[in-house]
Amino acid sequence: MWTSAVGSVLGDVFGTIARFRHDKPLHPRGTVYDAVLRRTGSSEPWGVEWLDLPGEDHGVVRLSRSVGLPRPLPDVLGLAFTFNGPAGDRHDLLLATTGLRPGTRFALLPRRDPFAVPYSSLLPYRAPRGLVLLAAMPTAGAGFRLCAATPAGRWQGFATLELSGRTGSGPDRPIRFDPVLHPLPGLSWPPELARLREPAYAAARRTGHPAGN
């Protein structure tokens, strides 16, 4: 299948970049913040408690530049959020700067200001009631509103993501994100998209530097 072939190529590419850099193949540098996700629930249910019901998740967010180009040059920006569920299971959400309209939701767009631009999951998750894209839209201050939509549907808010301050003694931390190993609660990747993503993350894991943010 073409997704397996493309995934294999991406795996080779990410693995080569990681070995050459001796670091993450993408998003080599970033800034880590403490974060709280306050879920209000979606007005139209997806059949997933994490999207449909109120709740609160505490974790960290890392904002980064994909290629690592120096500022003020634009770059594809990344927003990664990791948290643990009630049972202690880890969950990773990775978003990148894209458009929000149906025609641009699947296009990576270089941006400059990480707090003034929208991010999305680029590829859709599978929920009991269909495919769902996730997005983070900037709000006043250091925060974002999280929304969900079908690949061509209307965005529906379900949470706010609040960034409270940098963690640790420095701006970055040696944290690794992997949405394949740590999927979101109640969501999964469609098999064809899993075949596309997994080789890249597997190749990067072998070098000790996962491919994501």
Side-chain angles (χ1 to χ4, degrees):
M1 184 176 289
W2 72 269
T3 51
S4 297
V6 173
S8 179
V9 171
L10 290 175
D12 291 341
V13 170
F14 282 124
T16 300
I17 294 173
R19 287 190 294 271
F20 177 76
R21 277 185 164 177
H22 304 290
D23 201 346
K24 296 180 181 180
L26 294 175
H27 302 275
R29 290 175 296 279
T31 305
V32 178
Y33 300 84
D34 291 317
V36 179
L37 183 72
R38 304 186 193 280
R39 292 180 281 113
T40 57
S42 177
S43 58
E44 298 181 16
W46 295 94
V48 176
E49 289 187 4
W50 190 73
L51 297 175
D52 296 344
L53 300 180
E56 193 169 290
D57 302 303
H58 294 254
V60 297
V61 161
R62 185 174 187 261
L63 299 177
S64 57
R65 297 167 66 81
S66 177
V67 180
L69 296 176
R71 294 181 178 86
L73 294 175
D75 201 340
V76 175
L77 308 181
L79 186 160
F81 175 51
T82 184
F83 63 97
N84 290 329
D89 297 335
R90 176 176 167 176
H91 307 288
D92 288 357
L93 169 64
L94 269 64
L95 306 175
T97 46
T98 67
L100 294 180
R101 296 180 179 179
T104 60
R105 292 177 183 180
F106 307 101
L108 294 170
L109 302 177
R111 300 298 191 210
R112 289 188 174 87
D113 186 348
F115 291 103
V117 294
Y119 300 77
S120 87
S121 57
L122 187 65
L123 299 176
Y125 289 90
R126 183 172 61 183
R129 298 194 177 181
L131 297 179
V132 54
L133 286 165
L134 302 180
M137 305 179 188
T139 60
F144 298 88
R145 179 158 180 75
L146 264 62
C147 301
T150 63
R154 178 176 59 87
W155 292 107
Q156 306 171 43
F158 72 91
T160 58
L161 183 62
E162 302 171 8
L163 280 58
S164 60
R166 295 182 180 181
T167 64
S169 58
D172 204 356
R173 284 174 52 189
I175 186 171
R176 309 302 185 196
F177 297 87
D178 193 322
V180 176
L181 285 180
H182 309 296
L184 294 173
L187 297 173
S188 62
W189 297 106
E192 60 274 16
L193 297 184
R195 286 191 291 269
L196 178 64
R197 300 192 69 151
E198 172 57 24
Y201 282 91
R205 284 184 216 121
R206 288 194 293 270
T207 67
H209 300 287
N213 303 55

mmCIF file with all atom_site columns, all heavy atoms in Angstrom, residues 57-80:
data_model
loop_
_atom_site.group_PDB
_atom_site.id
_atom_site.type_symbol
_atom_site.label_atom_id
_atom_site.label_alt_id
_atom_site.label_comp_id
_atom_site.label_asym_id
_atom_site.label_entity_id
_atom_site.label_seq_id
_atom_site.pdbx_PDB_ins_code
_atom_site.Cartn_x
_atom_site.Cartn_y
_atom_site.Cartn_z
_atom_site.occupancy
_atom_site.B_iso_or_equiv
_atom_site.pdbx_formal_charge
_atom_site.auth_seq_id
_atom_site.auth_comp_id
_atom_site.auth_asym_id
_atom_site.auth_atom_id
_atom_site.pdbx_PDB_model_num
ATOM 1   N N   . ASP A 1 57 ? -6.736 18.579 32.744 1.00 0.00 ? 57 ASP A N   1
ATOM 2   C CA  . ASP A 1 57 ? -5.502 17.823 32.576 1.00 0.00 ? 57 ASP A CA  1
ATOM 3   C C   . ASP A 1 57 ? -4.312 18.743 32.810 1.00 0.00 ? 57 ASP A C   1
ATOM 4   O O   . ASP A 1 57 ? -4.249 19.847 32.253 1.00 0.00 ? 57 ASP A O   1
ATOM 5   C CB  . ASP A 1 57 ? -5.407 17.231 31.165 1.00 0.00 ? 57 ASP A CB  1
ATOM 6   C CG  . ASP A 1 57 ? -6.573 16.322 30.840 1.00 0.00 ? 57 ASP A CG  1
ATOM 7   O OD1 . ASP A 1 57 ? -6.789 15.356 31.584 1.00 0.00 ? 57 ASP A OD1 1
ATOM 8   O OD2 . ASP A 1 57 ? -7.284 16.595 29.836 1.00 0.00 ? 57 ASP A OD2 1
ATOM 9   N N   . HIS A 1 58 ? -3.369 18.283 33.631 1.00 0.00 ? 58 HIS A N   1
ATOM 10  C CA  . HIS A 1 58 ? -2.169 19.053 33.928 1.00 0.00 ? 58 HIS A CA  1
ATOM 11  C C   . HIS A 1 58 ? -0.970 18.396 33.254 1.00 0.00 ? 58 HIS A C   1
ATOM 12  O O   . HIS A 1 58 ? -0.803 17.174 33.321 1.00 0.00 ? 58 HIS A O   1
ATOM 13  C CB  . HIS A 1 58 ? -1.945 19.125 35.439 1.00 0.00 ? 58 HIS A CB  1
ATOM 14  C CG  . HIS A 1 58 ? -2.998 19.903 36.157 1.00 0.00 ? 58 HIS A CG  1
ATOM 15  N ND1 . HIS A 1 58 ? -2.768 21.167 36.665 1.00 0.00 ? 58 HIS A ND1 1
ATOM 16  C CD2 . HIS A 1 58 ? -4.294 19.615 36.444 1.00 0.00 ? 58 HIS A CD2 1
ATOM 17  C CE1 . HIS A 1 58 ? -3.872 21.619 37.234 1.00 0.00 ? 58 HIS A CE1 1
ATOM 18  N NE2 . HIS A 1 58 ? -4.811 20.680 37.118 1.00 0.00 ? 58 HIS A NE2 1
ATOM 19  N N   . GLY A 1 59 ? -0.129 19.202 32.622 1.00 0.00 ? 59 GLY A N   1
ATOM 20  C CA  . GLY A 1 59 ? 1.044  18.668 31.955 1.00 0.00 ? 59 GLY A CA  1
ATOM 21  C C   . GLY A 1 59 ? 1.993  19.776 31.554 1.00 0.00 ? 59 GLY A C   1
ATOM 22  O O   . GLY A 1 59 ? 2.071  20.811 32.231 1.00 0.00 ? 59 GLY A O   1
ATOM 23  N N   . VAL A 1 60 ? 2.718  19.565 30.472 1.00 0.00 ? 60 VAL A N   1
ATOM 24  C CA  . VAL A 1 60 ? 3.632  20.584 29.960 1.00 0.00 ? 60 VAL A CA  1
ATOM 25  C C   . VAL A 1 60 ? 3.424  20.745 28.465 1.00 0.00 ? 60 VAL A C   1
ATOM 26  O O   . VAL A 1 60 ? 3.008  19.804 27.764 1.00 0.00 ? 60 VAL A O   1
ATOM 27  C CB  . VAL A 1 60 ? 5.107  20.244 30.254 1.00 0.00 ? 60 VAL A CB  1
ATOM 28  C CG1 . VAL A 1 60 ? 5.371  20.198 31.743 1.00 0.00 ? 60 VAL A CG1 1
ATOM 29  C CG2 . VAL A 1 60 ? 5.521  18.942 29.592 1.00 0.00 ? 60 VAL A CG2 1
ATOM 30  N N   . VAL A 1 61 ? 3.703  21.951 27.996 1.00 0.00 ? 61 VAL A N   1
ATOM 31  C CA  . VAL A 1 61 ? 3.639  22.288 26.577 1.00 0.00 ? 61 VAL A CA  1
ATOM 32  C C   . VAL A 1 61 ? 5.034  22.674 26.113 1.00 0.00 ? 61 VAL A C   1
ATOM 33  O O   . VAL A 1 61 ? 5.766  23.371 26.819 1.00 0.00 ? 61 VAL A O   1
ATOM 34  C CB  . VAL A 1 61 ? 2.656  23.447 26.321 1.00 0.00 ? 61 VAL A CB  1
ATOM 35  C CG1 . VAL A 1 61 ? 2.918  24.111 24.964 1.00 0.00 ? 61 VAL A CG1 1
ATOM 36  C CG2 . VAL A 1 61 ? 1.221  22.941 26.363 1.00 0.00 ? 61 VAL A CG2 1
ATOM 37  N N   . ARG A 1 62 ? 5.395  22.230 24.939 1.00 0.00 ? 62 ARG A N   1
ATOM 38  C CA  . ARG A 1 62 ? 6.642  22.667 24.309 1.00 0.00 ? 62 ARG A CA  1
ATOM 39  C C   . ARG A 1 62 ? 6.316  23.357 22.999 1.00 0.00 ? 62 ARG A C   1
ATOM 40  O O   . ARG A 1 62 ? 5.665  22.780 22.131 1.00 0.00 ? 62 ARG A O   1
ATOM 41  C CB  . ARG A 1 62 ? 7.579  21.479 24.059 1.00 0.00 ? 62 ARG A CB  1
ATOM 42  C CG  . ARG A 1 62 ? 8.962  21.882 23.500 1.00 0.00 ? 62 ARG A CG  1
ATOM 43  C CD  . ARG A 1 62 ? 9.867  20.660 23.420 1.00 0.00 ? 62 ARG A CD  1
ATOM 44  N NE  . ARG A 1 62 ? 11.237 21.004 23.060 1.00 0.00 ? 62 ARG A NE  1
ATOM 45  C CZ  . ARG A 1 62 ? 11.750 20.899 21.828 1.00 0.00 ? 62 ARG A CZ  1
ATOM 46  N NH1 . ARG A 1 62 ? 10.992 20.476 20.826 1.00 0.00 ? 62 ARG A NH1 1
ATOM 47  N NH2 . ARG A 1 62 ? 13.007 21.216 21.594 1.00 0.00 ? 62 ARG A NH2 1
ATOM 48  N N   . LEU A 1 63 ? 6.781  24.599 22.859 1.00 0.00 ? 63 LEU A N   1
ATOM 49  C CA  . LEU A 1 63 ? 6.660  25.358 21.618 1.00 0.00 ? 63 LEU A CA  1
ATOM 50  C C   . LEU A 1 63 ? 8.006  25.326 20.916 1.00 0.00 ? 63 LEU A C   1
ATOM 51  O O   . LEU A 1 63 ? 9.051  25.554 21.545 1.00 0.00 ? 63 LEU A O   1
ATOM 52  C CB  . LEU A 1 63 ? 6.245  26.801 21.904 1.00 0.00 ? 63 LEU A CB  1
ATOM 53  C CG  . LEU A 1 63 ? 4.890  26.988 22.608 1.00 0.00 ? 63 LEU A CG  1
ATOM 54  C CD1 . LEU A 1 63 ? 4.648  28.467 22.879 1.00 0.00 ? 63 LEU A CD1 1
ATOM 55  C CD2 . LEU A 1 63 ? 3.757  26.409 21.765 1.00 0.00 ? 63 LEU A CD2 1
ATOM 56  N N   . SER A 1 64 ? 8.003  25.045 19.620 1.00 0.00 ? 64 SER A N   1
ATOM 57  C CA  . SER A 1 64 ? 9.272  24.830 18.928 1.00 0.00 ? 64 SER A CA  1
ATOM 58  C C   . SER A 1 64 ? 9.176  25.241 17.464 1.00 0.00 ? 64 SER A C   1
ATOM 59  O O   . SER A 1 64 ? 8.096  25.513 16.942 1.00 0.00 ? 64 SER A O   1
ATOM 60  C CB  . SER A 1 64 ? 9.676  23.360 19.031 1.00 0.00 ? 64 SER A CB  1
ATOM 61  O OG  . SER A 1 64 ? 8.656  22.530 18.497 1.00 0.00 ? 64 SER A OG  1
ATOM 62  N N   . ARG A 1 65 ? 10.343 25.253 16.829 1.00 0.00 ? 65 ARG A N   1
ATOM 63  C CA  . ARG A 1 65 ? 10.467 25.553 15.408 1.00 0.00 ? 65 ARG A CA  1
ATOM 64  C C   . ARG A 1 65 ? 10.909 24.284 14.700 1.00 0.00 ? 65 ARG A C   1
ATOM 65  O O   . ARG A 1 65 ? 11.910 23.667 15.075 1.00 0.00 ? 65 ARG A O   1
ATOM 66  C CB  . ARG A 1 65 ? 11.456 26.701 15.198 1.00 0.00 ? 65 ARG A CB  1
ATOM 67  C CG  . ARG A 1 65 ? 10.980 28.004 15.843 1.00 0.00 ? 65 ARG A CG  1
ATOM 68  C CD  . ARG A 1 65 ? 12.089 29.047 15.907 1.00 0.00 ? 65 ARG A CD  1
ATOM 69  N NE  . ARG A 1 65 ? 12.517 29.519 14.604 1.00 0.00 ? 65 ARG A NE  1
ATOM 70  C CZ  . ARG A 1 65 ? 11.880 30.454 13.891 1.00 0.00 ? 65 ARG A CZ  1
ATOM 71  N NH1 . ARG A 1 65 ? 10.778 31.021 14.385 1.00 0.00 ? 65 ARG A NH1 1
ATOM 72  N NH2 . ARG A 1 65 ? 12.321 30.840 12.713 1.00 0.00 ? 65 ARG A NH2 1
ATOM 73  N N   . SER A 1 66 ? 10.187 23.896 13.636 1.00 0.00 ? 66 SER A N   1
ATOM 74  C CA  . SER A 1 66 ? 10.370 22.593 13.022 1.00 0.00 ? 66 SER A CA  1
ATOM 75  C C   . SER A 1 66 ? 11.789 22.352 12.508 1.00 0.00 ? 66 SER A C   1
ATOM 76  O O   . SER A 1 66 ? 12.459 21.399 12.894 1.00 0.00 ? 66 SER A O   1
ATOM 77  C CB  . SER A 1 66 ? 9.363  22.423 11.882 1.00 0.00 ? 66 SER A CB  1
ATOM 78  O OG  . SER A 1 66 ? 9.560  21.199 11.211 1.00 0.00 ? 66 SER A OG  1
ATOM 79  N N   . VAL A 1 67 ? 12.266 23.232 11.632 1.00 0.00 ? 67 VAL A N   1
ATOM 80  C CA  . VAL A 1 67 ? 13.593 23.060 11.054 1.00 0.00 ? 67 VAL A CA  1
ATOM 81  C C   . VAL A 1 67 ? 14.658 23.620 11.979 1.00 0.00 ? 67 VAL A C   1
ATOM 82  O O   . VAL A 1 67 ? 15.816 23.217 11.935 1.00 0.00 ? 67 VAL A O   1
ATOM 83  C CB  . VAL A 1 67 ? 13.669 23.719 9.658  1.00 0.00 ? 67 VAL A CB  1
ATOM 84  C CG1 . VAL A 1 67 ? 15.035 23.545 9.027  1.00 0.00 ? 67 VAL A CG1 1
ATOM 85  C CG2 . VAL A 1 67 ? 12.595 23.132 8.741  1.00 0.00 ? 67 VAL A CG2 1
ATOM 86  N N   . GLY A 1 68 ? 14.261 24.547 12.834 1.00 0.00 ? 68 GLY A N   1
ATOM 87  C CA  . GLY A 1 68 ? 15.216 25.198 13.711 1.00 0.00 ? 68 GLY A CA  1
ATOM 88  C C   . GLY A 1 68 ? 15.849 26.423 13.113 1.00 0.00 ? 68 GLY A C   1
ATOM 89  O O   . GLY A 1 68 ? 16.953 26.832 13.507 1.00 0.00 ? 68 GLY A O   1
ATOM 90  N N   . LEU A 1 69 ? 15.171 27.045 12.122 1.00 0.00 ? 69 LEU A N   1
ATOM 91  C CA  . LEU A 1 69 ? 15.707 28.255 11.504 1.00 0.00 ? 69 LEU A CA  1
ATOM 92  C C   . LEU A 1 69 ? 15.781 29.376 12.541 1.00 0.00 ? 69 LEU A C   1
ATOM 93  O O   . LEU A 1 69 ? 14.940 29.483 13.420 1.00 0.00 ? 69 LEU A O   1
ATOM 94  C CB  . LEU A 1 69 ? 14.810 28.695 10.343 1.00 0.00 ? 69 LEU A CB  1
ATOM 95  C CG  . LEU A 1 69 ? 14.715 27.728 9.165  1.00 0.00 ? 69 LEU A CG  1
ATOM 96  C CD1 . LEU A 1 69 ? 13.710 28.246 8.138  1.00 0.00 ? 69 LEU A CD1 1
ATOM 97  C CD2 . LEU A 1 69 ? 16.082 27.525 8.513  1.00 0.00 ? 69 LEU A CD2 1
ATOM 98  N N   . PRO A 1 70 ? 16.785 30.239 12.439 1.00 0.00 ? 70 PRO A N   1
ATOM 99  C CA  . PRO A 1 70 ? 16.913 31.324 13.416 1.00 0.00 ? 70 PRO A CA  1
ATOM 100 C C   . PRO A 1 70 ? 15.816 32.369 13.235 1.00 0.00 ? 70 PRO A C   1
ATOM 101 O O   . PRO A 1 70 ? 15.376 32.635 12.111 1.00 0.00 ? 70 PRO A O   1
ATOM 102 C CB  . PRO A 1 70 ? 18.302 31.910 13.122 1.00 0.00 ? 70 PRO A CB  1
ATOM 103 C CG  . PRO A 1 70 ? 18.537 31.585 11.673 1.00 0.00 ? 70 PRO A CG  1
ATOM 104 C CD  . PRO A 1 70 ? 17.889 30.253 11.453 1.00 0.00 ? 70 PRO A CD  1
ATOM 105 N N   . ARG A 1 71 ? 15.367 32.947 14.346 1.00 0.00 ? 71 ARG A N   1
ATOM 106 C CA  . ARG A 1 71 ? 14.448 34.060 14.265 1.00 0.00 ? 71 ARG A CA  1
ATOM 107 C C   . ARG A 1 71 ? 15.169 35.268 13.677 1.00 0.00 ? 71 ARG A C   1
ATOM 108 O O   . ARG A 1 71 ? 16.373 35.409 13.858 1.00 0.00 ? 71 ARG A O   1
ATOM 109 C CB  . ARG A 1 71 ? 13.914 34.401 15.664 1.00 0.00 ? 71 ARG A CB  1
ATOM 110 C CG  . ARG A 1 71 ? 13.058 33.308 16.271 1.00 0.00 ? 71 ARG A CG  1
ATOM 111 C CD  . ARG A 1 71 ? 12.546 33.727 17.643 1.00 0.00 ? 71 ARG A CD  1
ATOM 112 N NE  . ARG A 1 71 ? 11.677 32.736 18.237 1.00 0.00 ? 71 ARG A NE  1
ATOM 113 C CZ  . ARG A 1 71 ? 12.100 31.692 18.948 1.00 0.00 ? 71 ARG A CZ  1
ATOM 114 N NH1 . ARG A 1 71 ? 13.396 31.544 19.160 1.00 0.00 ? 71 ARG A NH1 1
ATOM 115 N NH2 . ARG A 1 71 ? 11.249 30.822 19.451 1.00 0.00 ? 71 ARG A NH2 1
ATOM 116 N N   . PRO A 1 72 ? 14.511 36.146 12.911 1.00 0.00 ? 72 PRO A N   1
ATOM 117 C CA  . PRO A 1 72 ? 13.060 36.222 12.714 1.00 0.00 ? 72 PRO A CA  1
ATOM 118 C C   . PRO A 1 72 ? 12.550 35.476 11.489 1.00 0.00 ? 72 PRO A C   1
ATOM 119 O O   . PRO A 1 72 ? 11.442 35.724 11.027 1.00 0.00 ? 72 PRO A O   1
ATOM 120 C CB  . PRO A 1 72 ? 12.844 37.729 12.543 1.00 0.00 ? 72 PRO A CB  1
ATOM 121 C CG  . PRO A 1 72 ? 14.068 38.182 11.801 1.00 0.00 ? 72 PRO A CG  1
ATOM 122 C CD  . PRO A 1 72 ? 15.201 37.340 12.369 1.00 0.00 ? 72 PRO A CD  1
ATOM 123 N N   . LEU A 1 73 ? 13.344 34.563 10.928 1.00 0.00 ? 73 LEU A N   1
ATOM 124 C CA  . LEU A 1 73 ? 12.882 33.816 9.764  1.00 0.00 ? 73 LEU A CA  1
ATOM 125 C C   . LEU A 1 73 ? 11.658 32.982 10.133 1.00 0.00 ? 73 LEU A C   1
ATOM 126 O O   . LEU A 1 73 ? 11.600 32.404 11.224 1.00 0.00 ? 73 LEU A O   1
ATOM 127 C CB  . LEU A 1 73 ? 13.994 32.903 9.252  1.00 0.00 ? 73 LEU A CB  1
ATOM 128 C CG  . LEU A 1 73 ? 15.239 33.575 8.674  1.00 0.00 ? 73 LEU A CG  1
ATOM 129 C CD1 . LEU A 1 73 ? 16.281 32.521 8.321  1.00 0.00 ? 73 LEU A CD1 1
ATOM 130 C CD2 . LEU A 1 73 ? 14.879 34.408 7.455  1.00 0.00 ? 73 LEU A CD2 1
ATOM 131 N N   . PRO A 1 74 ? 10.678 32.887 9.245  1.00 0.00 ? 74 PRO A N   1
ATOM 132 C CA  . PRO A 1 74 ? 9.518  32.032 9.533  1.00 0.00 ? 74 PRO A CA  1
ATOM 133 C C   . PRO A 1 74 ? 9.914  30.563 9.477  1.00 0.00 ? 74 PRO A C   1
ATOM 134 O O   . PRO A 1 74 ? 10.863 30.176 8.793  1.00 0.00 ? 74 PRO A O   1
ATOM 135 C CB  . PRO A 1 74 ? 8.525  32.404 8.422  1.00 0.00 ? 74 PRO A CB  1
ATOM 136 C CG  . PRO A 1 74 ? 9.383  32.906 7.306  1.00 0.00 ? 74 PRO A CG  1
ATOM 137 C CD  . PRO A 1 74 ? 10.554 33.587 7.951  1.00 0.00 ? 74 PRO A CD  1
ATOM 138 N N   . ASP A 1 75 ? 9.194  29.748 10.210 1.00 0.00 ? 75 ASP A N   1
ATOM 139 C CA  . ASP A 1 75 ? 9.427  28.301 10.259 1.00 0.00 ? 75 ASP A CA  1
ATOM 140 C C   . ASP A 1 75 ? 8.079  27.652 10.545 1.00 0.00 ? 75 ASP A C   1
ATOM 141 O O   . ASP A 1 75 ? 7.149  28.306 11.028 1.00 0.00 ? 75 ASP A O   1
ATOM 142 C CB  . ASP A 1 75 ? 10.435 27.977 11.369 1.00 0.00 ? 75 ASP A CB  1
ATOM 143 C CG  . ASP A 1 75 ? 11.114 26.620 11.177 1.00 0.00 ? 75 ASP A CG  1
ATOM 144 O OD1 . ASP A 1 75 ? 10.561 25.774 10.438 1.00 0.00 ? 75 ASP A OD1 1
ATOM 145 O OD2 . ASP A 1 75 ? 12.182 26.406 11.768 1.00 0.00 ? 75 ASP A OD2 1
ATOM 146 N N   . VAL A 1 76 ? 7.949  26.381 10.228 1.00 0.00 ? 76 VAL A N   1
ATOM 147 C CA  . VAL A 1 76 ? 6.758  25.647 10.663 1.00 0.00 ? 76 VAL A CA  1
ATOM 148 C C   . VAL A 1 76 ? 6.876  25.453 12.175 1.00 0.00 ? 76 VAL A C   1
ATOM 149 O O   . VAL A 1 76 ? 7.850  24.875 12.658 1.00 0.00 ? 76 VAL A O   1
ATOM 150 C CB  . VAL A 1 76 ? 6.647  24.287 9.959  1.00 0.00 ? 76 VAL A CB  1
ATOM 151 C CG1 . VAL A 1 76 ? 5.469  23.493 10.528 1.00 0.00 ? 76 VAL A CG1 1
ATOM 152 C CG2 . VAL A 1 76 ? 6.466  24.479 8.453  1.00 0.00 ? 76 VAL A CG2 1
ATOM 153 N N   . LEU A 1 77 ? 5.917  25.980 12.905 1.00 0.00 ? 77 LEU A N   1
ATOM 154 C CA  . LEU A 1 77 ? 5.974  25.959 14.364 1.00 0.00 ? 77 LEU A CA  1
ATOM 155 C C   . LEU A 1 77 ? 5.228  24.748 14.916 1.00 0.00 ? 77 LEU A C   1
ATOM 156 O O   . LEU A 1 77 ? 4.271  24.259 14.306 1.00 0.00 ? 77 LEU A O   1
ATOM 157 C CB  . LEU A 1 77 ? 5.384  27.242 14.936 1.00 0.00 ? 77 LEU A CB  1
ATOM 158 C CG  . LEU A 1 77 ? 5.950  28.557 14.383 1.00 0.00 ? 77 LEU A CG  1
ATOM 159 C CD1 . LEU A 1 77 ? 5.284  29.745 15.063 1.00 0.00 ? 77 LEU A CD1 1
ATOM 160 C CD2 . LEU A 1 77 ? 7.463  28.617 14.539 1.00 0.00 ? 77 LEU A CD2 1
ATOM 161 N N   . GLY A 1 78 ? 5.660  24.283 16.077 1.00 0.00 ? 78 GLY A N   1
ATOM 162 C CA  . GLY A 1 78 ? 5.024  23.140 16.701 1.00 0.00 ? 78 GLY A CA  1
ATOM 163 C C   . GLY A 1 78 ? 4.554  23.451 18.106 1.00 0.00 ? 78 GLY A C   1
ATOM 164 O O   . GLY A 1 78 ? 5.190  24.224 18.829 1.00 0.00 ? 78 GLY A O   1
ATOM 165 N N   . LEU A 1 79 ? 3.435  22.867 18.473 1.00 0.00 ? 79 LEU A N   1
ATOM 166 C CA  . LEU A 1 79 ? 2.897  22.936 19.831 1.00 0.00 ? 79 LEU A CA  1
ATOM 167 C C   . LEU A 1 79 ? 2.646  21.499 20.271 1.00 0.00 ? 79 LEU A C   1
ATOM 168 O O   . LEU A 1 79 ? 1.826  20.796 19.678 1.00 0.00 ? 79 LEU A O   1
ATOM 169 C CB  . LEU A 1 79 ? 1.614  23.751 19.877 1.00 0.00 ? 79 LEU A CB  1
ATOM 170 C CG  . LEU A 1 79 ? 0.990  24.037 21.257 1.00 0.00 ? 79 LEU A CG  1
ATOM 171 C CD1 . LEU A 1 79 ? 0.041  25.246 21.170 1.00 0.00 ? 79 LEU A CD1 1
ATOM 172 C CD2 . LEU A 1 79 ? 0.216  22.847 21.815 1.00 0.00 ? 79 LEU A CD2 1
ATOM 173 N N   . ALA A 1 80 ? 3.373  21.057 21.306 1.00 0.00 ? 80 ALA A N   1
ATOM 174 C CA  . ALA A 1 80 ? 3.212  19.695 21.812 1.00 0.00 ? 80 ALA A CA  1
ATOM 175 C C   . ALA A 1 80 ? 2.784  19.751 23.274 1.00 0.00 ? 80 ALA A C   1
ATOM 176 O O   . ALA A 1 80 ? 3.353  20.504 24.066 1.00 0.00 ? 80 ALA A O   1
ATOM 177 C CB  . ALA A 1 80 ? 4.518  18.922 21.681 1.00 0.00 ? 80 ALA A CB  1
#
